[in-house]
Amino acid sequence: MTGVSGEESVSLDLLRQKMRDFAKERGWEPYHTPRNLLLALVGEMGELSEIFQWKGEVERGLPNWKEEEKVHLGEELSDVLLYLIQLSDSCNIDLGQVALRKLQLNAVKYPVSK
Ligand SMILES: [Mg+2]
C-alpha cells in the first residue's frame, strides 16, 4: 500500500519494532515504564500544541504555513505517535487492533443515519 507521498505505507507494527530496537540498543528499556512514557507523551503533546498556539484558526492543509513550520509539525506529530505506540507496547496493548475495534464501536454509537 502507498501513502500520500507515494512511498510505501508504514505499519504500527513496524514502528513498534523500531522503537523496541531503538530503546534496547541504548539500554533505555528500564526507564520505559507506562507512567514515564505517559508523561513523555504529554510533554510532546505540549510541544505539538505550542506550534498552534496564538495562530488563531488554521485552514485544512496549512496553505499559509512555511515549509519549515510544516517540517517542525511533522516532527512533533511523530514524537506523539511514537510515544503513544511505546506506551501501548509497555502496557501489552496492540494499538492497531484496539484502534480498529474502537472504530467499530464508534460506528455503532454514531450511525450514519444520525
Ligand atoms: Mg518533540
Side-chain angles (χ1 to χ4, degrees):
M1 201 192 271
T2 52
V4 285
S5 63
E7 289 169 38
E8 193 132 326
S9 70
V10 178
S11 71
L12 291 179
D13 286 346
L14 174 68
L15 293 175
R16 179 177 56 197
Q17 193 54 55
K18 282 187 174 288
M19 294 306 291
R20 280 182 185 175
D21 295 344
F22 187 91
K24 189 169 190 177
E25 286 161 4
R26 287 159 182 78
W28 289 354
E29 290 156 314
Y31 308 105
H32 286 181
T33 58
R35 178 181 165 279
N36 282 348
L37 291 167
L38 172 62
L39 292 175
L41 172 61
V42 171
E44 294 299 340
M45 287 295 301
E47 291 182 16
L48 177 59
S49 301
E50 276 179 3
I51 295 175
F52 290 89
Q53 198 174 13
W54 315 124
K55 272 196 184 304
E57 193 47 273
V58 170
E59 274 184 74
R60 287 180 63 91
L62 315 178
N64 305 316
W65 286 37
K66 295 186 206 117
E67 193 52 38
E68 68 225 43
E69 288 178 307
K70 291 186 184 181
V71 169
H72 184 205
L73 175 58
E75 290 170 354
E76 298 307 340
L77 285 167
S78 299
D79 285 341
V80 168
L81 174 64
L82 294 173
Y83 272 129
L84 183 63
I85 290 170
Q86 280 188 293
L87 172 59
S88 305
D89 196 24
S90 75
C91 297
N92 279 332
I93 286 176
D94 186 324
L95 187 59
Q97 290 302 323
V98 294
L100 270 180
R101 180 171 176 273
K102 190 60 172 60
L103 274 173
Q104 292 166 352
L105 292 172
N106 290 349
V108 171
K109 190 172 180 183
Y110 305 104
V112 177
S113 56
K114 261 198 189 173

